[in-house]
Amino acid sequence: WRWCEVAVLPASLVFPLDSYHEPASSALGVLGMPGRTAYYGLFEVLKPEPGQVLFVSGAHGATGAVLGQLGKIAGLRVLGSAGSKQKVQELYDMGFDGAFNYREEDAQMALKRLAP
């Protein structure tokens, strides 16, 4: 698949957006690919148990932010990395238990500090 203006797909691969209840833009976030990716990766692939630690690289992005919040709902201790001090603070504001700026701190050292 590549970027295109028009695509012809089997009906089984597409579904209509319900923009009556949610804005169409939500398909780009929690109700779209990022949210589905986060949900499937966490609950269908990882299958974590409450109390475990979840590290989210790129936690401030669309998928990472949803993944972190789903992790909190699942009872996990959620850690994340982001590329600026402001984004790290926003991870804490979203409920992450720990976060670090990967541009300023080595990931291995940060994870040893946050999850000893």
Side-chain angles (χ1 to χ4, degrees):
W1 300 84
R2 62 176 197 214
W3 184 260
C4 59
E5 296 287 327
V6 177
V8 177
L9 303 168
S12 63
L13 295 179
V14 296
F15 56 92
L17 293 175
D18 180 4
S19 59
Y20 179 78
H21 291 96
E22 300 296 334
S25 61
S26 64
L28 300 174
V30 69
L31 298 179
M33 182 276 301
R36 290 169 182 251
T37 300
Y39 183 91
Y40 183 85
L42 186 63
F43 296 115
E44 300 296 326
V45 176
L46 290 178
K47 300 179 182 178
E49 296 180 13
Q52 290 182 320
V53 177
L54 173 66
F55 169 62
V56 183
S57 176
H60 198 274
T63 302
V66 174
L67 178 59
Q69 293 175 62
L70 289 174
K72 291 301 298 178
I73 291 168
L76 306 177
R77 182 160 184 257
V78 180
L79 310 175
S81 66
S84 73
K85 290 179 183 179
Q86 178 181 347
K87 289 179 179 180
V88 167
Q89 181 56 53
E90 290 172 1
L91 293 179
Y92 281 109
D93 294 345
M94 280 189 263
F96 279 64
D97 298 297
F100 67 95
N101 182 341
Y102 62 79
R103 297 180 195 272
E104 296 180 355
E105 188 174 4
D106 175 73
Q108 189 173 14
M109 297 303 291
L111 291 173
K112 283 183 181 179
R113 175 177 58 80
L114 294 169

